[in-house]
Every structure is written in structure tokens, then in C-alpha cells.
Amino acid sequence: MKTHLPPFMSRPGPAALAAALVPALLLSGCNPPGASSSSSGKSGAPGSAAARTWVAPGEKDEYYLFYSGGHSGQVFVAGLPSMRHISTIPVFSPYPGTGYGFDEETKALLGDYAWGDVHHPALSQADGLYDGRWLFVNDNANNRVARIDLRDFKTRQILGPIPNSSGNHGSSFVTENTEYVLVASRFSVPLPKGRHADPADYEKEFNGMVSGIKVDPSDGTMSVGWQILTPPFNWDLGSTGKGPSSGWAFWTSYNSEMAHETLEATSTQGDRDYAAVVNWRAAGQAVRDGLATTLDGVPVIAPAKVPGVLYFLPVPKSPHGIDTDPSGRWIAASGKLQPVVSVFDFEKIKAAIDRKDFTGEVRGVPVIRYESVLEGEIPVGLGPLHTQYDGKGNAYTSLYIESAVAKWKLPPWTAEEKADLNKVILDKIDVHYNIGHLVVGGSDTKEPYGKYLVAMNKLSKGRHLSVGPAQPESSQLIDITGEKMEMLYEAFTEPEPHFAQILKADAIKPIEVYPKAGSAHPHAIWDAKDASITRRGNTVEVKMVAIRSRFIPDRIDVNEGDELVIHVTNVEQTTDMIHGLAIAEQNVNVIFDPGETKTLRLKIKKPGVFPFYCTNFCSALHQEMQGYLAVKPKS
């Protein structure tokens, strides 16, 4: 029996149905998921948090986010605003994903160390702005600094262990034109390093150090320029000056008490610790004037004998971060154990130094009168750690205990505000949980981007699918363009981002292929006819080509006990055409980007036939890209 529908319920024909569906599909394809159909209210409607973080497939983010990888020893790269992880830059630890630490070039970079503790990345600068050349990161554990070249996102130098310095936490802080990467020691030790002293004699026998790592402006090569000997305070975090504070740098310290055990109690006795106020230009001049003494090959300045290089500034209490604002005039020190941020006026600091407005000295270093240079103590909340700036007169301080970010107004303040500094607190937003560092793009430059803030939280507390007892950390993206901060997004990272840098995507143009014409590797070959196997005594040297979908040669014959050296050139000149070389049971995996040549070296310890193959999927015949290492027994 045929069903008769009323006119308004009549079935549409195929053409009418298509006409109705196509616009709907097109519209849904242009919006974030849930934009048009969600009834939850959590949709990606225009202006929503979802819409503002949505980067459609195939589209690119507006900013790079370079995360410290903490004790992974690496740097993580994500995009903003999507927070999507893009890549990992291996620095202080081997990373099989890119073959880092398996070839001779990167093994030499790592030296005797298999890991590092990455803390504070810093972008190179020119005239107080990011210049997109290099990213520097420090290794807290092994006293090293690394330079990553942003031309290809590769680690190109690891300097250290730095002589006379232990615990490279107060780093990496770049001066306005990348003259120096500045470093301060977290742990004091007897000097020169290698000398034994009883920790009970800590105050007398131990010393800290501030170091100026000189950077060659032509290629970024780092070397130790000078050092300043300090009392055995635990130097913590720092920042560099600009504008009126150009040529100066600042570090907080904890343990001005110079205690050596049970620091949780013994280093927190004083109401104030000392910040270091360092004239780094004067330090460089002192070395040129011959006023330094050489210790372990480095010119070391005794500040009591070279006035004008170092001053101490009292800061409440067990402070952590000390951050210079974009103008260079205001210096904000976070109290950690006191719920205030102390704001100092550098113009007053300079005036106090000029008129010798001191309250005493510590080991011959003048102590600047606190009251003479303080602009105000901002009651931000519990556990202030770090402060960032948006370039619009606002500061943002992370509050570890309170799990929040406080937004407050920089000076100058009105008389009414100055009488009650609660009135300069503009906003506060909860984060999850126990925030450590935070970053605003360009905060350490003259011109911050002032769009996003990323909160790097130490505890995630199950805000993710359970992955067992080893928990990731959370990073939260906050919009800071309005009067009120607004939470946009949340992502998770492996432990543990200590700090990050944000860089506009269009500020750099990384290469994706190493051009054949620019190849300078002495063992590079670009044609199959140049492939070779040469024996010299017990050493077998191979020059190999990797190209879709074969290795040339694909058979290597050696004897047990030989040393095998293989130089592999990936002759591809097409982006993303990457090859790898793994040799079974030889603990080898080296990755070659297009146009790249690397060398691997291994001692042949056992006879047999060992397949080798490409580890990086490269073509439909990727599986066929293989060969054999045939090893004859000694006898």
C-alpha cells in the first residue's frame, strides 16, 4: 500500500537532497568539530576557545613553542595556538628517532655523557629582539650549554663542562646582541674543580661562579669569556638588562645563609637573600685590562679587587625568578616563600651605586640599600616564582602554591595605587596544577607579542587518560589579549618543561634539504659509481649512497675484529625523503636527512651475516632497501 505524505513532508528528489547536503558538509568542514551540531555548549562556535585554537588539517600554526625537555635532555617543538607537538630536537641525550648519538658527529657532541638536564631555552637576539638564528639551552647536571641552529633545528655545539662552575641552573640568559650567554652556578664546590674539601667547611672552602659565555657573531661558536668568583650562595634564575639596564644582568639566590646541609630549613632562616647585580660589560673590560687571574684556563675576576663588576641586592625571601621588563627599567623578583613580587627601579639602582648608597658588604662586594631602590612589593599571592610581560604595561606571575597566574600592572603607579598595591592586581586565573614556569612570547625582548601565555604546570593529577603512575605534566594555553585572562586549551608533555620560548613562525625559514652544492663533508659522494669499499689493514672504509630504494653498496664483507667505518650520503634532494641505516645486532641506527652525509664507526666483534636496512619509511619499496654485512670468523 502506497503511503501518501502531506505536501510539507514530501520526500525530496536526489538533486534537492544534494543541494541541501553540500552546503551543510562544506560548512561543517570549515569549522572545528562540534561547531554546528553540538548541544553541549562546548562547541567551536566563532570566538569560542575551541575556534581560537583550531588549526585545520593542512594549516599551520602562528608561532613556534620551544619547550625545555628537562631531564629527557631534549627540546620539544610545538605549534601555537594548536599546542600540537611537531618534533623533538635531541640535545644532551641520544635519540634513536633521528639517529642522534649514533653517528660519529653527534657522538662527539655528546662526549662522555648520555644525558643532560635541560632547563632554560633562550633565543638569540639582535638589538633586543629575536633574530631567529640560534636557540641556547643549559644542562643543569653537567654544566654545559648547547647551541641549536634554527636553520635546520640541529644541535651544533655543546660547550662544557664549564670550568670552575657546578650546577648550570642560572642559564641560559642571552644579552641584547647575543654577545654572551650568561651562566650562574647553582651548586658551589671547592675550586679548582677536583679539589677535595670537607662540606662542613662550606662557607670557607666553597665558591660559586658567574660566567660569561662568549658567542662568535659570525657562526655562534661559544667559548668561556670570563668568570666572576662569588660566595657560596646557590644562584637560581636570572635575566639580562636592556634600555637603561643595558650591559647589566641579574640573578636571584637562595641560601645566602651559606648552609651546607638540611637546606630546607637552614637556607630559609633569613628574611632576605641576595640577588647578584652584574655589570657584564665591566667584566669583559676587566679581563681586557688584565685584572683577572687565570683558573683552569679561564680568566676569573675577584670582585672585591675589581670594583664595579658585582653588587648584591637584598630580595625577600628564598626568591626564584628575577625578570627584567621590556623597557629595561623594572626588575621583578619573585619571593617564593613570601607572597610578594618585589619591583626594583633600575634607575634607582644605578643612582644608588653612583652615590654608594650601600648597607654594608659581603666579602668585599657592596650591598645596595633595599629601601632606596624598591618601587613596591606587589601582593600577588602564594608561592610567586616567575614573571613575564606582554609589552602593554602588564606583568604575569606564576603562583606555585596557589596554582594560579596573577596579572598585575607595572609602574608607574598612581599615588592611590602606590598606597595600596592590591589595586594593581588586575586579574587572576586558576591553572592545573602547581605552575612552575610560564612564558609570554617575546617577554625577554623589547617587543613582546602579548597574545598568548603558556602555563607550565608541574602536576597534571589525572587530567588525562590514565597512563599509570608515571604522569605527564600539563601545559595550558591562556589568551591574554583582553582585560581578563581566558583559558583556551590544555596539552600534556613528558617531564619536564622548565621554561619555553615562543617565536613567530614567519621569523625563520628553516631549510628542509641540504643542497648538494653546499655539501662540504669530506666523505660525501653523490653518484653510485663513486661508492667504494677500501681495506687498510684491519680497517674497512665504505663510502655508501642511500637513494630510493637501495643502498650502494648493499653488501659489505669484513673479518671478525675489523673496524668498520661507513660514510653514508643521502643523495635525495626532495623534502621529507629521509633514510636510515640500522645494522641488526650491532646497536646502530643512523638517520640521514636529504643531502646529508654522516659517518658511523663500529668494531666487529662476532662472525655471522647481519642484515642492514632502512629504518625511515621512504617509498613503496622501502622494505626492499636492505643489504648484508658478512663477517668472516677470525680463523
Side-chain angles (χ1 to χ4, degrees):
M1 180 178 167
K2 188 174 181 180
T3 302
H4 295 278
L5 297 174
F8 69 90
M9 293 182 66
S10 61
R11 292 187 178 92
L17 190 60
L21 285 176
V22 168
L25 290 170
L26 288 174
L27 283 172
S28 65
C30 292
N31 290 323
S36 58
S37 59
S38 172
S39 59
S40 67
K42 298 177 181 178
S43 74
S48 68
R52 280 179 281 162
T53 58
W54 170 250
V55 178
E59 298 297 321
K60 296 177 181 176
D61 281 289
E62 186 178 1
Y63 299 95
Y64 288 100
L65 175 64
F66 297 98
Y67 279 115
S68 144
H71 43 277
S72 78
Q74 323 292 25
V75 168
F76 307 136
V77 183
L80 288 183
S82 74
M83 303 284 279
R84 297 179 299 198
H85 177 87
I86 300 172
S87 71
T88 296
I89 304 173
V91 184
F92 294 117
S93 305
Y95 188 61
T98 62
Y100 186 81
F102 291 87
D103 61 277
E104 293 304 295
E105 292 83 358
T106 54
K107 280 199 292 189
L109 277 177
L110 291 172
D112 296 331
Y113 298 92
W115 81 289
D117 189 6
V118 175
H119 271 248
H120 311 121
L123 290 161
S124 57
Q125 298 188 20
D127 191 26
L129 300 172
Y130 298 148
D131 64 7
R133 300 184 74 187
W134 306 302
L135 180 74
F136 300 94
V137 292
N138 58 314
D139 171 12
N140 181 47
N142 302 309
N143 311 308
R144 297 179 292 172
V145 179
R147 174 175 50 83
I148 297 165
D149 195 329
L150 295 182
R151 178 175 172 266
D152 59 2
F153 282 49
K154 299 282 180 70
T155 301
R156 291 303 179 191
Q157 185 187 5
I158 295 176
L159 176 73
I162 300 169
N164 310 316
S165 182
S166 185
N168 182 15
H169 186 268
S171 172
S172 309
F173 305 113
V174 174
T175 58
E176 292 164 276
N177 288 293
T178 320
E179 298 94 337
Y180 291 98
V181 175
L182 298 179
V183 171
S185 54
R186 174 181 174 185
F187 308 117
S188 292
V189 294
L191 296 177
K193 286 161 80 173
R195 182 172 72 86
H196 175 268
D198 189 334
D201 296 326
Y202 181 84
E203 185 172 348
K204 183 177 67 174
E205 294 286 348
F206 287 54
N207 279 100
M209 196 70 79
V210 170
S211 304
I213 306 301
K214 194 171 183 178
V215 180
D216 186 318
S218 64
D219 61 6
T221 298
M222 300 180 290
S223 59
V224 183
W226 45 260
Q227 294 183 317
I228 302 171
L229 192 70
T230 77
F233 305 156
N234 293 65
W235 299 111
D236 203 348
L237 281 157
S239 64
T240 56
K242 59 181 78 66
S245 56
S246 175
W248 294 77
F250 316 92
W251 281 269
T252 56
S253 75
Y254 59 96
N255 194 25
S256 297
E257 295 84 351
M258 293 184 275
H260 70 281
E261 60 184 0
T262 328
L263 293 194
E264 181 182 35
T266 56
S267 72
T268 55
Q269 297 301 302
D271 286 336
R272 291 173 184 164
D273 287 274
Y274 290 117
V277 179
V278 174
N279 186 334
W280 58 262
R281 284 207 180 97
Q285 188 60 49
V287 172
R288 290 190 289 275
D289 293 342
L291 300 178
T293 301
T294 300
L295 183 65
D296 201 5
V298 177
V300 176
I301 300 165
K305 297 178 181 177
V306 186
V309 169
L310 174 65
Y311 301 88
F312 292 142
L313 173 64
V315 175
K317 171 182 181 178
S318 299
H320 197 49
I322 185 166
D323 301 284
T324 310
D325 90 309
S327 76
R329 180 175 177 182
W330 310 111
I331 318 295
S334 299
K336 195 167 74 177
L337 297 186
Q338 187 164 334
V340 300
V341 168
S342 302
V343 180
F344 300 100
D345 182 347
F346 186 79
E347 292 182 356
K348 293 180 180 177
I349 291 175
K350 190 66 171 56
I353 291 171
D354 291 343
R355 65 173 183 271
K356 295 183 169 48
D357 184 8
F358 304 135
T359 57
E361 53 82 22
V362 177
R363 297 190 179 180
V365 176
V367 178
I368 299 168
R369 186 181 301 279
Y370 178 78
E371 296 77 10
S372 298
V373 300
L374 179 73
E375 190 68 11
E377 293 181 343
I378 316 299
V380 289
L382 298 177
L385 293 184
H386 306 280
T387 297
Q388 295 279 280
Y389 307 97
D390 63 7
K392 301 170 187 172
N394 302 309
Y396 302 81
T397 298
S398 59
L399 304 173
Y400 176 81
I401 296 173
E402 208 169 307
S403 289
V405 174
K407 175 183 178 180
W408 50 276
K409 177 186 171 186
L410 279 167
W413 300 311
T414 66
E416 183 182 3
E417 289 170 338
K418 200 157 186 176
D420 179 6
L421 287 173
N422 284 294
K423 294 182 178 177
V424 306
I425 306 293
L426 305 175
D427 190 24
K428 195 173 279 190
I429 188 170
D430 291 337
V431 294
H432 307 90
Y433 298 92
N434 296 95
I435 181 173
H437 276 276
L438 73 175
V439 63
V440 172
S443 173
D444 53 346
T445 73
K446 296 190 301 186
E447 299 175 2
Y449 305 150
K451 189 170 183 178
Y452 297 115
L453 182 154
V454 177
M456 285 161 268
N457 308 313
K458 295 301 182 187
L459 304 179
S460 54
K461 290 286 186 184
R463 289 175 64 86
H464 45 76
L465 292 175
S466 179
V467 290
Q471 301 276 306
E473 297 192 1
S474 75
S475 294
Q476 294 182 306
L477 182 68
I478 298 170
D479 186 332
I480 57 170
T481 57
E483 289 186 7
K484 299 293 183 183
M485 295 177 280
E486 185 177 357
M487 185 67 70
L488 295 180
Y489 199 70
E490 181 175 58
F492 302 96
T493 59
E494 295 183 355
E496 71 171 289
H498 290 282
F499 188 47
Q501 295 269 267
I502 295 172
L503 181 66
K504 284 185 176 177
D506 60 7
I508 56 175
K509 292 183 179 177
I511 62 167
E512 296 184 347
V513 172
Y514 294 102
K516 175 182 176 182
S519 173
H521 197 290
H523 300 294
I525 58 172
W526 294 90
D527 194 302
K529 67 179 175 53
D530 297 321
S532 63
I533 301 176
T534 306
R535 172 176 287 278
R536 296 183 184 86
N538 291 328
T539 300
V540 176
E541 186 170 17
V542 179
K543 292 188 177 180
M544 177 183 284
V545 163
I547 189 170
R548 284 165 286 175
S549 301
R550 63 179 298 197
F551 294 107
I552 307 168
D554 59 3
R555 170 175 174 165
I556 302 171
D557 291 281
V558 297
N559 299 323
E560 182 184 1
D562 281 346
E563 183 177 58
L564 176 62
V565 181
I566 308 177
H567 313 288
V568 184
T569 300
N570 177 353
V571 300
E572 310 279 2
Q573 291 288 280
T574 303
T575 184
D576 206 14
M577 198 45 59
I578 300 165
H579 296 298
L581 173 64
I583 306 177
E585 300 182 12
Q586 300 295 325
N587 195 32
V588 168
N589 175 44
V590 179
I591 303 297
F592 317 93
D593 294 333
E596 191 172 37
T597 301
K598 289 182 177 176
T599 298
L600 64 96
R601 184 186 300 268
L602 64 155
K603 189 75 174 178
I604 304 300
K605 298 179 180 176
K606 55 185 178 182
V609 177
F610 303 94
F612 58 81
Y613 66 101
C614 179
T615 48
N616 208 96
F617 202 99
C618 55
S619 73
L621 295 176
H622 167 72
Q623 291 291 87
E624 285 76 2
M625 192 168 175
Q626 66 177 56
Y628 289 102
L629 170 65
V631 182
K632 294 179 181 176
K634 275 184 178 178
S635 59

